[in-house]
Amino acid sequence: MKNNTYDVVVMGSGLGGLVSALILAKEGYKVCVLEKNNQFGGNLQTFVRDKKIFDTGVHYIGGLGKGENLYTYFKYLGIMDKLHIERMHMDHYDTVCIGDDEIEYPHAQGYDNFIKQLSVYFPEEKESLIAYTKKLQEVCENFPMYNLKLGKPYANEPELLSVNAKEYIESVTNNKKLQAVLAGTNFLYAGSENSPLYVHALSVNSYMQSAWRCIRGGSQIAKHLVKEIRNHGGKVLKYKEVDQFYISEDKQLETISTTSGETYKASYFISNMEPKTTVDLIGKDNLRKAYYKRIKAQENIISSFSIFLVFKKRTVLYHNYNMYYSESLEKVWDGQNYTQESWPETYMTGMVEDQKNKGFAESLTSIAYMHFEEMQPWENTFNTVAEENDRGESYEAFKAKKVEIYLDELEKKYPNLRDSIYSIHTTTPLSYRDYIGSEDGSMYGYVKDAAHPMRSFLAPRTKISNLLLTGQSVNMHGILGVTIGAVLTASEILGLEYIMEKIQSHIEPKEKSNL
């Protein structure tokens, strides 16, 4: 049995695992990243159909303007200047559509511009919009690392964690339509009536600062991170599925093994796997019962059904923005509680421009909520590129039926859409479970509840002293949230003040144009 010894072994190559590994590799640690699948990156993965690239989880990114938060983190990591990105529409990077209302209400880049564009449709609500944007910034200020500063989150206002997003938005304006428009992009965090305001603020604020698309897919982020890890002497390996932990009597993780029979030894281990999977590998006997039960009791955020359309050439005009749709004002917060007859009640769409035929779209991706329970007939099947299996004719029939229902809904906003389609592809909660490794195909990790704010907070350090956690279930989901979470994970080894000084040295003046 082959033995490999490192300073740090990272299990899982999602964004959190790659960023943690790169930070440590930059500091001279001998690092190895193990990935069970064919492709690195977790939610950064892409796939190709009919020569068109589709993103699985990253459809646009905020905070990449010069001097902004994610720009600076990526600058420190050495990948910012390598990314191929384009800025989305300044006056409407997102639009919100409600039911039969034909207006696409804009979310614009820049706080003043956000207010200006929505004031066209809500001229009596300008003061409400000013108050709303100020509140977003105020909330984000209470999370220092979001603003590239050192300090404990929400230390000055701990009660902030208990503020309910829906209730706050309703308090800032009595206009029901504006309430729905301000909340209309809450698909970004699977918003519900229990969602905290801080999750809403941290999710939407960076897009309001600046919103960007990755040209030819978000997997380039993972590819550049992998390259940088290797440039600093680290290893990143695929087809390495971890299946066993070996814990010493003094509660140290000594070695891990893979399904291929290899063992890996390290001073530190970082798990970018689903935390519930991680504690199962640790074993009940090696953990306090309360800790084990707390992890296992975490509620998963809902999963999704995605439809990916390849268009015939020069048939659909390209829109450099995303569209979020809810069938009614009430469903903005309640779209997860659909029925088989009403699905989909909410969805989002985004396009990719045809680089050879500018002004036209080459593809469209649309995502709707879907409960994992709908996968019950096939939940014991498993299918990835690394381990291919056929789920059977009934599964294909299920998807085909959903596609027809979905297209009927999409054609209400994109008339005669079917006439422009060259090919159709789909993913279900099973796809996300198998490729991303999230339990029940959860879109964003664990549910955060304003009424129980501390229930879902997981520290990077586990009860096994040399085993750390990272990923979307540990801090916040999203590119920025997971990146910050990975910094926190690495800081358990290096020290947070030390890392933040390194990151702050890459801060550049913000671009002021158009903002």
Side-chain angles (χ1 to χ4, degrees), residues 13-47:
S13 72
L15 178 63
L18 293 177
V19 172
S20 300
L22 178 51
I23 292 171
L24 293 164
K26 283 165 64 74
E27 295 298 325
Y29 285 76
K30 185 180 179 184
V31 174
C32 181
V33 180
L34 306 177
E35 169 57 49
K36 71 175 183 178
N37 282 322
N38 173 64
Q39 191 177 158
F40 303 122
N43 277 310
L44 294 169
Q45 293 177 71
T46 56
F47 63 93

PDB file of all heavy atoms in Angstrom, residues 13-47:
ATOM      1  N   SER A  13     -11.835  19.251  -4.095  1.00  0.00           N
ATOM      2  CA  SER A  13     -11.244  20.371  -4.838  1.00  0.00           C
ATOM      3  C   SER A  13     -12.269  21.433  -5.196  1.00  0.00           C
ATOM      4  O   SER A  13     -12.155  22.098  -6.222  1.00  0.00           O
ATOM      5  CB  SER A  13     -10.581  19.862  -6.119  1.00  0.00           C
ATOM      6  OG  SER A  13     -11.564  19.476  -7.078  1.00  0.00           O
ATOM      7  N   GLY A  14     -13.296  21.608  -4.360  1.00  0.00           N
ATOM      8  CA  GLY A  14     -14.165  22.755  -4.541  1.00  0.00           C
ATOM      9  C   GLY A  14     -13.389  24.036  -4.291  1.00  0.00           C
ATOM     10  O   GLY A  14     -12.214  24.012  -3.914  1.00  0.00           O
ATOM     11  N   LEU A  15     -14.041  25.167  -4.486  1.00  0.00           N
ATOM     12  CA  LEU A  15     -13.353  26.450  -4.341  1.00  0.00           C
ATOM     13  C   LEU A  15     -12.695  26.581  -2.970  1.00  0.00           C
ATOM     14  O   LEU A  15     -11.555  27.024  -2.860  1.00  0.00           O
ATOM     15  CB  LEU A  15     -14.342  27.595  -4.569  1.00  0.00           C
ATOM     16  CG  LEU A  15     -13.782  29.010  -4.413  1.00  0.00           C
ATOM     17  CD1 LEU A  15     -12.704  29.288  -5.450  1.00  0.00           C
ATOM     18  CD2 LEU A  15     -14.908  30.037  -4.508  1.00  0.00           C
ATOM     19  N   GLY A  16     -13.403  26.178  -1.913  1.00  0.00           N
ATOM     20  CA  GLY A  16     -12.833  26.287  -0.566  1.00  0.00           C
ATOM     21  C   GLY A  16     -11.573  25.465  -0.403  1.00  0.00           C
ATOM     22  O   GLY A  16     -10.589  25.916   0.190  1.00  0.00           O
ATOM     23  N   GLY A  17     -11.580  24.247  -0.938  1.00  0.00           N
ATOM     24  CA  GLY A  17     -10.406  23.387  -0.847  1.00  0.00           C
ATOM     25  C   GLY A  17      -9.233  23.934  -1.627  1.00  0.00           C
ATOM     26  O   GLY A  17      -8.087  23.927  -1.151  1.00  0.00           O
ATOM     27  N   LEU A  18      -9.494  24.428  -2.834  1.00  0.00           N
ATOM     28  CA  LEU A  18      -8.409  24.953  -3.680  1.00  0.00           C
ATOM     29  C   LEU A  18      -7.814  26.229  -3.100  1.00  0.00           C
ATOM     30  O   LEU A  18      -6.589  26.406  -3.101  1.00  0.00           O
ATOM     31  CB  LEU A  18      -8.922  25.203  -5.096  1.00  0.00           C
ATOM     32  CG  LEU A  18      -9.315  23.962  -5.906  1.00  0.00           C
ATOM     33  CD1 LEU A  18      -9.881  24.367  -7.258  1.00  0.00           C
ATOM     34  CD2 LEU A  18      -8.123  23.028  -6.086  1.00  0.00           C
ATOM     35  N   VAL A  19      -8.664  27.126  -2.607  1.00  0.00           N
ATOM     36  CA  VAL A  19      -8.143  28.383  -2.038  1.00  0.00           C
ATOM     37  C   VAL A  19      -7.356  28.096  -0.761  1.00  0.00           C
ATOM     38  O   VAL A  19      -6.262  28.637  -0.559  1.00  0.00           O
ATOM     39  CB  VAL A  19      -9.289  29.379  -1.775  1.00  0.00           C
ATOM     40  CG1 VAL A  19      -8.771  30.589  -0.997  1.00  0.00           C
ATOM     41  CG2 VAL A  19      -9.912  29.831  -3.093  1.00  0.00           C
ATOM     42  N   SER A  20      -7.873  27.239   0.102  1.00  0.00           N
ATOM     43  CA  SER A  20      -7.132  26.867   1.323  1.00  0.00           C
ATOM     44  C   SER A  20      -5.777  26.281   0.965  1.00  0.00           C
ATOM     45  O   SER A  20      -4.741  26.631   1.557  1.00  0.00           O
ATOM     46  CB  SER A  20      -7.936  25.836   2.136  1.00  0.00           C
ATOM     47  OG  SER A  20      -9.179  26.328   2.534  1.00  0.00           O
ATOM     48  N   ALA A  21      -5.769  25.364  -0.010  1.00  0.00           N
ATOM     49  CA  ALA A  21      -4.521  24.713  -0.426  1.00  0.00           C
ATOM     50  C   ALA A  21      -3.529  25.719  -0.991  1.00  0.00           C
ATOM     51  O   ALA A  21      -2.328  25.670  -0.682  1.00  0.00           O
ATOM     52  CB  ALA A  21      -4.827  23.633  -1.464  1.00  0.00           C
ATOM     53  N   LEU A  22      -4.019  26.654  -1.803  1.00  0.00           N
ATOM     54  CA  LEU A  22      -3.122  27.628  -2.424  1.00  0.00           C
ATOM     55  C   LEU A  22      -2.521  28.570  -1.381  1.00  0.00           C
ATOM     56  O   LEU A  22      -1.319  28.875  -1.425  1.00  0.00           O
ATOM     57  CB  LEU A  22      -3.866  28.424  -3.502  1.00  0.00           C
ATOM     58  CG  LEU A  22      -3.066  29.516  -4.207  1.00  0.00           C
ATOM     59  CD1 LEU A  22      -1.734  28.992  -4.740  1.00  0.00           C
ATOM     60  CD2 LEU A  22      -3.898  30.132  -5.332  1.00  0.00           C
ATOM     61  N   ILE A  23      -3.325  29.029  -0.443  1.00  0.00           N
ATOM     62  CA  ILE A  23      -2.797  29.911   0.607  1.00  0.00           C
ATOM     63  C   ILE A  23      -1.648  29.230   1.338  1.00  0.00           C
ATOM     64  O   ILE A  23      -0.583  29.827   1.576  1.00  0.00           O
ATOM     65  CB  ILE A  23      -3.913  30.300   1.594  1.00  0.00           C
ATOM     66  CG1 ILE A  23      -4.939  31.202   0.907  1.00  0.00           C
ATOM     67  CG2 ILE A  23      -3.327  31.002   2.823  1.00  0.00           C
ATOM     68  CD1 ILE A  23      -6.174  31.462   1.747  1.00  0.00           C
ATOM     69  N   LEU A  24      -1.836  27.971   1.688  1.00  0.00           N
ATOM     70  CA  LEU A  24      -0.811  27.236   2.438  1.00  0.00           C
ATOM     71  C   LEU A  24       0.393  26.910   1.561  1.00  0.00           C
ATOM     72  O   LEU A  24       1.542  26.970   2.015  1.00  0.00           O
ATOM     73  CB  LEU A  24      -1.422  25.966   3.022  1.00  0.00           C
ATOM     74  CG  LEU A  24      -2.471  26.236   4.115  1.00  0.00           C
ATOM     75  CD1 LEU A  24      -3.322  25.010   4.385  1.00  0.00           C
ATOM     76  CD2 LEU A  24      -1.787  26.707   5.401  1.00  0.00           C
ATOM     77  N   ALA A  25       0.150  26.582   0.295  1.00  0.00           N
ATOM     78  CA  ALA A  25       1.269  26.311  -0.617  1.00  0.00           C
ATOM     79  C   ALA A  25       2.116  27.558  -0.817  1.00  0.00           C
ATOM     80  O   ALA A  25       3.352  27.486  -0.896  1.00  0.00           O
ATOM     81  CB  ALA A  25       0.733  25.796  -1.956  1.00  0.00           C
ATOM     82  N   LYS A  26       1.469  28.722  -0.886  1.00  0.00           N
ATOM     83  CA  LYS A  26       2.200  29.987  -1.033  1.00  0.00           C
ATOM     84  C   LYS A  26       3.110  30.239   0.165  1.00  0.00           C
ATOM     85  O   LYS A  26       4.115  30.944   0.054  1.00  0.00           O
ATOM     86  CB  LYS A  26       1.211  31.164  -1.186  1.00  0.00           C
ATOM     87  CG  LYS A  26       0.588  31.286  -2.568  1.00  0.00           C
ATOM     88  CD  LYS A  26      -0.627  32.211  -2.550  1.00  0.00           C
ATOM     89  CE  LYS A  26      -0.295  33.628  -2.189  1.00  0.00           C
ATOM     90  NZ  LYS A  26       0.394  34.368  -3.280  1.00  0.00           N
ATOM     91  N   GLU A  27       2.744  29.684   1.312  1.00  0.00           N
ATOM     92  CA  GLU A  27       3.540  29.875   2.530  1.00  0.00           C
ATOM     93  C   GLU A  27       4.548  28.753   2.748  1.00  0.00           C
ATOM     94  O   GLU A  27       5.126  28.629   3.824  1.00  0.00           O
ATOM     95  CB  GLU A  27       2.606  29.984   3.732  1.00  0.00           C
ATOM     96  CG  GLU A  27       1.708  31.216   3.706  1.00  0.00           C
ATOM     97  CD  GLU A  27       2.502  32.511   3.730  1.00  0.00           C
ATOM     98  OE1 GLU A  27       3.563  32.536   4.389  1.00  0.00           O
ATOM     99  OE2 GLU A  27       2.080  33.490   3.081  1.00  0.00           O
ATOM    100  N   GLY A  28       4.753  27.914   1.739  1.00  0.00           N
ATOM    101  CA  GLY A  28       5.799  26.903   1.803  1.00  0.00           C
ATOM    102  C   GLY A  28       5.383  25.550   2.327  1.00  0.00           C
ATOM    103  O   GLY A  28       6.230  24.655   2.478  1.00  0.00           O
ATOM    104  N   TYR A  29       4.102  25.361   2.592  1.00  0.00           N
ATOM    105  CA  TYR A  29       3.630  24.053   3.054  1.00  0.00           C
ATOM    106  C   TYR A  29       3.567  23.065   1.886  1.00  0.00           C
ATOM    107  O   TYR A  29       3.215  23.441   0.763  1.00  0.00           O
ATOM    108  CB  TYR A  29       2.247  24.175   3.698  1.00  0.00           C
ATOM    109  CG  TYR A  29       2.258  24.780   5.078  1.00  0.00           C
ATOM    110  CD1 TYR A  29       2.429  26.155   5.259  1.00  0.00           C
ATOM    111  CD2 TYR A  29       2.106  23.991   6.213  1.00  0.00           C
ATOM    112  CE1 TYR A  29       2.452  26.726   6.525  1.00  0.00           C
ATOM    113  CE2 TYR A  29       2.129  24.547   7.486  1.00  0.00           C
ATOM    114  CZ  TYR A  29       2.296  25.910   7.632  1.00  0.00           C
ATOM    115  OH  TYR A  29       2.325  26.466   8.895  1.00  0.00           O
ATOM    116  N   LYS A  30       3.918  21.830   2.179  1.00  0.00           N
ATOM    117  CA  LYS A  30       3.820  20.763   1.194  1.00  0.00           C
ATOM    118  C   LYS A  30       2.371  20.273   1.183  1.00  0.00           C
ATOM    119  O   LYS A  30       1.901  19.660   2.136  1.00  0.00           O
ATOM    120  CB  LYS A  30       4.767  19.619   1.556  1.00  0.00           C
ATOM    121  CG  LYS A  30       4.830  18.498   0.517  1.00  0.00           C
ATOM    122  CD  LYS A  30       5.786  17.403   0.966  1.00  0.00           C
ATOM    123  CE  LYS A  30       5.831  16.274  -0.065  1.00  0.00           C
ATOM    124  NZ  LYS A  30       6.693  15.152   0.418  1.00  0.00           N
ATOM    125  N   VAL A  31       1.669  20.578   0.090  1.00  0.00           N
ATOM    126  CA  VAL A  31       0.223  20.416   0.043  1.00  0.00           C
ATOM    127  C   VAL A  31      -0.177  19.411  -1.034  1.00  0.00           C
ATOM    128  O   VAL A  31       0.426  19.359  -2.115  1.00  0.00           O
ATOM    129  CB  VAL A  31      -0.457  21.779  -0.248  1.00  0.00           C
ATOM    130  CG1 VAL A  31      -1.959  21.602  -0.450  1.00  0.00           C
ATOM    131  CG2 VAL A  31      -0.192  22.762   0.882  1.00  0.00           C
ATOM    132  N   CYS A  32      -1.228  18.625  -0.737  1.00  0.00           N
ATOM    133  CA  CYS A  32      -1.802  17.720  -1.726  1.00  0.00           C
ATOM    134  C   CYS A  32      -3.321  17.819  -1.657  1.00  0.00           C
ATOM    135  O   CYS A  32      -3.911  17.737  -0.574  1.00  0.00           O
ATOM    136  CB  CYS A  32      -1.363  16.284  -1.477  1.00  0.00           C
ATOM    137  SG  CYS A  32      -2.016  15.098  -2.684  1.00  0.00           S
ATOM    138  N   VAL A  33      -3.963  18.004  -2.820  1.00  0.00           N
ATOM    139  CA  VAL A  33      -5.419  18.065  -2.909  1.00  0.00           C
ATOM    140  C   VAL A  33      -5.914  16.792  -3.582  1.00  0.00           C
ATOM    141  O   VAL A  33      -5.408  16.405  -4.652  1.00  0.00           O
ATOM    142  CB  VAL A  33      -5.890  19.293  -3.722  1.00  0.00           C
ATOM    143  CG1 VAL A  33      -7.417  19.334  -3.790  1.00  0.00           C
ATOM    144  CG2 VAL A  33      -5.336  20.579  -3.130  1.00  0.00           C
ATOM    145  N   LEU A  34      -6.905  16.152  -2.980  1.00  0.00           N
ATOM    146  CA  LEU A  34      -7.470  14.915  -3.515  1.00  0.00           C
ATOM    147  C   LEU A  34      -8.904  15.167  -3.981  1.00  0.00           C
ATOM    148  O   LEU A  34      -9.731  15.661  -3.214  1.00  0.00           O
ATOM    149  CB  LEU A  34      -7.467  13.818  -2.452  1.00  0.00           C
ATOM    150  CG  LEU A  34      -6.129  13.506  -1.782  1.00  0.00           C
ATOM    151  CD1 LEU A  34      -6.309  12.451  -0.696  1.00  0.00           C
ATOM    152  CD2 LEU A  34      -5.096  13.044  -2.809  1.00  0.00           C
ATOM    153  N   GLU A  35      -9.196  14.821  -5.231  1.00  0.00           N
ATOM    154  CA  GLU A  35     -10.528  14.994  -5.800  1.00  0.00           C
ATOM    155  C   GLU A  35     -11.030  13.660  -6.325  1.00  0.00           C
ATOM    156  O   GLU A  35     -10.317  12.961  -7.033  1.00  0.00           O
ATOM    157  CB  GLU A  35     -10.499  16.030  -6.936  1.00  0.00           C
ATOM    158  CG  GLU A  35     -11.750  16.109  -7.774  1.00  0.00           C
ATOM    159  CD  GLU A  35     -13.008  16.394  -6.957  1.00  0.00           C
ATOM    160  OE1 GLU A  35     -12.970  17.336  -6.133  1.00  0.00           O
ATOM    161  OE2 GLU A  35     -14.003  15.670  -7.141  1.00  0.00           O
ATOM    162  N   LYS A  36     -12.264  13.305  -5.983  1.00  0.00           N
ATOM    163  CA  LYS A  36     -12.781  12.002  -6.393  1.00  0.00           C
ATOM    164  C   LYS A  36     -13.263  11.974  -7.834  1.00  0.00           C
ATOM    165  O   LYS A  36     -13.308  10.907  -8.460  1.00  0.00           O
ATOM    166  CB  LYS A  36     -13.926  11.573  -5.467  1.00  0.00           C
ATOM    167  CG  LYS A  36     -15.211  12.364  -5.626  1.00  0.00           C
ATOM    168  CD  LYS A  36     -16.318  11.775  -4.747  1.00  0.00           C
ATOM    169  CE  LYS A  36     -17.630  12.507  -4.948  1.00  0.00           C
ATOM    170  NZ  LYS A  36     -18.726  11.912  -4.134  1.00  0.00           N
ATOM    171  N   ASN A  37     -13.626  13.124  -8.382  1.00  0.00           N
ATOM    172  CA  ASN A  37     -14.216  13.160  -9.721  1.00  0.00           C
ATOM    173  C   ASN A  37     -13.197  13.437 -10.821  1.00  0.00           C
ATOM    174  O   ASN A  37     -12.005  13.613 -10.570  1.00  0.00           O
ATOM    175  CB  ASN A  37     -15.340  14.196  -9.767  1.00  0.00           C
ATOM    176  CG  ASN A  37     -16.620  13.692  -9.131  1.00  0.00           C
ATOM    177  OD1 ASN A  37     -16.979  12.519  -9.272  1.00  0.00           O
ATOM    178  ND2 ASN A  37     -17.313  14.563  -8.403  1.00  0.00           N
ATOM    179  N   ASN A  38     -13.704  13.544 -12.027  1.00  0.00           N
ATOM    180  CA  ASN A  38     -12.878  13.785 -13.201  1.00  0.00           C
ATOM    181  C   ASN A  38     -12.435  15.241 -13.311  1.00  0.00           C
ATOM    182  O   ASN A  38     -11.390  15.537 -13.870  1.00  0.00           O
ATOM    183  CB  ASN A  38     -13.665  13.388 -14.458  1.00  0.00           C
ATOM    184  CG  ASN A  38     -12.961  13.768 -15.745  1.00  0.00           C
ATOM    185  OD1 ASN A  38     -11.891  13.277 -16.036  1.00  0.00           O
ATOM    186  ND2 ASN A  38     -13.568  14.656 -16.516  1.00  0.00           N
ATOM    187  N   GLN A  39     -13.255  16.149 -12.795  1.00  0.00           N
ATOM    188  CA  GLN A  39     -13.005  17.584 -12.964  1.00  0.00           C
ATOM    189  C   GLN A  39     -12.833  18.245 -11.599  1.00  0.00           C
ATOM    190  O   GLN A  39     -13.533  17.918 -10.644  1.00  0.00           O
ATOM    191  CB  GLN A  39     -14.182  18.227 -13.710  1.00  0.00           C
ATOM    192  CG  GLN A  39     -13.915  19.643 -14.165  1.00  0.00           C
ATOM    193  CD  GLN A  39     -15.070  20.249 -14.967  1.00  0.00           C
ATOM    194  OE1 GLN A  39     -15.208  21.464 -15.068  1.00  0.00           O
ATOM    195  NE2 GLN A  39     -15.915  19.404 -15.541  1.00  0.00           N
ATOM    196  N   PHE A  40     -11.886  19.171 -11.521  1.00  0.00           N
ATOM    197  CA  PHE A  40     -11.674  19.946 -10.302  1.00  0.00           C
ATOM    198  C   PHE A  40     -12.681  21.091 -10.227  1.00  0.00           C
ATOM    199  O   PHE A  40     -13.180  21.555 -11.242  1.00  0.00           O
ATOM    200  CB  PHE A  40     -10.253  20.518 -10.265  1.00  0.00           C
ATOM    201  CG  PHE A  40      -9.165  19.483 -10.365  1.00  0.00           C
ATOM    202  CD1 PHE A  40      -8.223  19.528 -11.380  1.00  0.00           C
ATOM    203  CD2 PHE A  40      -9.084  18.457  -9.440  1.00  0.00           C
ATOM    204  CE1 PHE A  40      -7.216  18.576 -11.472  1.00  0.00           C
ATOM    205  CE2 PHE A  40      -8.081  17.501  -9.519  1.00  0.00           C
ATOM    206  CZ  PHE A  40      -7.145  17.559 -10.546  1.00  0.00           C
ATOM    207  N   GLY A  41     -12.960  21.549  -8.999  1.00  0.00           N
ATOM    208  CA  GLY A  41     -13.689  22.801  -8.878  1.00  0.00           C
ATOM    209  C   GLY A  41     -15.036  22.767  -8.201  1.00  0.00           C
ATOM    210  O   GLY A  41     -15.603  23.818  -7.931  1.00  0.00           O
ATOM    211  N   GLY A  42     -15.621  21.598  -7.945  1.00  0.00           N
ATOM    212  CA  GLY A  42     -16.926  21.589  -7.296  1.00  0.00           C
ATOM    213  C   GLY A  42     -17.959  22.348  -8.103  1.00  0.00           C
ATOM    214  O   GLY A  42     -18.204  22.041  -9.277  1.00  0.00           O
ATOM    215  N   ASN A  43     -18.545  23.383  -7.500  1.00  0.00           N
ATOM    216  CA  ASN A  43     -19.550  24.194  -8.195  1.00  0.00           C
ATOM    217  C   ASN A  43     -18.973  25.028  -9.336  1.00  0.00           C
ATOM    218  O   ASN A  43     -19.729  25.664 -10.084  1.00  0.00           O
ATOM    219  CB  ASN A  43     -20.270  25.119  -7.206  1.00  0.00           C
ATOM    220  CG  ASN A  43     -21.394  24.417  -6.469  1.00  0.00           C
ATOM    221  OD1 ASN A  43     -22.244  23.767  -7.084  1.00  0.00           O
ATOM    222  ND2 ASN A  43     -21.404  24.536  -5.150  1.00  0.00           N
ATOM    223  N   LEU A  44     -17.662  25.050  -9.465  1.00  0.00           N
ATOM    224  CA  LEU A  44     -17.022  25.756 -10.580  1.00  0.00           C
ATOM    225  C   LEU A  44     -16.968  24.897 -11.842  1.00  0.00           C
ATOM    226  O   LEU A  44     -16.533  25.378 -12.889  1.00  0.00           O
ATOM    227  CB  LEU A  44     -15.597  26.161 -10.197  1.00  0.00           C
ATOM    228  CG  LEU A  44     -15.457  27.201  -9.086  1.00  0.00           C
ATOM    229  CD1 LEU A  44     -14.004  27.295  -8.632  1.00  0.00           C
ATOM    230  CD2 LEU A  44     -15.956  28.562  -9.552  1.00  0.00           C
ATOM    231  N   GLN A  45     -17.393  23.653 -11.752  1.00  0.00           N
ATOM    232  CA  GLN A  45     -17.299  22.763 -12.897  1.00  0.00           C
ATOM    233  C   GLN A  45     -18.161  23.246 -14.062  1.00  0.00           C
ATOM    234  O   GLN A  45     -19.205  23.867 -13.875  1.00  0.00           O
ATOM    235  CB  GLN A  45     -17.748  21.355 -12.513  1.00  0.00           C
ATOM    236  CG  GLN A  45     -16.834  20.651 -11.524  1.00  0.00           C
ATOM    237  CD  GLN A  45     -17.365  19.290 -11.129  1.00  0.00           C
ATOM    238  OE1 GLN A  45     -17.352  18.364 -11.933  1.00  0.00           O
ATOM    239  NE2 GLN A  45     -17.840  19.171  -9.903  1.00  0.00           N
ATOM    240  N   THR A  46     -17.707  22.941 -15.255  1.00  0.00           N
ATOM    241  CA  THR A  46     -18.475  23.198 -16.468  1.00  0.00           C
ATOM    242  C   THR A  46     -18.626  21.891 -17.235  1.00  0.00           C
ATOM    243  O   THR A  46     -17.949  20.909 -16.955  1.00  0.00           O
ATOM    244  CB  THR A  46     -17.775  24.231 -17.372  1.00  0.00           C
ATOM    245  OG1 THR A  46     -16.440  23.767 -17.673  1.00  0.00           O
ATOM    246  CG2 THR A  46     -17.689  25.590 -16.694  1.00  0.00           C
ATOM    247  N   PHE A  47     -19.515  21.901 -18.213  1.00  0.00           N
ATOM    248  CA  PHE A  47     -19.616  20.758 -19.120  1.00  0.00           C
ATOM    249  C   PHE A  47     -19.903  21.286 -20.526  1.00  0.00           C
ATOM    250  O   PHE A  47     -20.322  22.440 -20.702  1.00  0.00           O
ATOM    251  CB  PHE A  47     -20.696  19.767 -18.669  1.00  0.00           C
ATOM    252  CG  PHE A  47     -22.096  20.316 -18.667  1.00  0.00           C
ATOM    253  CD1 PHE A  47     -22.925  20.166 -19.773  1.00  0.00           C
ATOM    254  CD2 PHE A  47     -22.596  20.973 -17.553  1.00  0.00           C
ATOM    255  CE1 PHE A  47     -24.225  20.670 -19.776  1.00  0.00           C
ATOM    256  CE2 PHE A  47     -23.883  21.475 -17.534  1.00  0.00           C
ATOM    257  CZ  PHE A  47     -24.703  21.320 -18.652  1.00  0.00           C
TER     258      PHE A  47
END
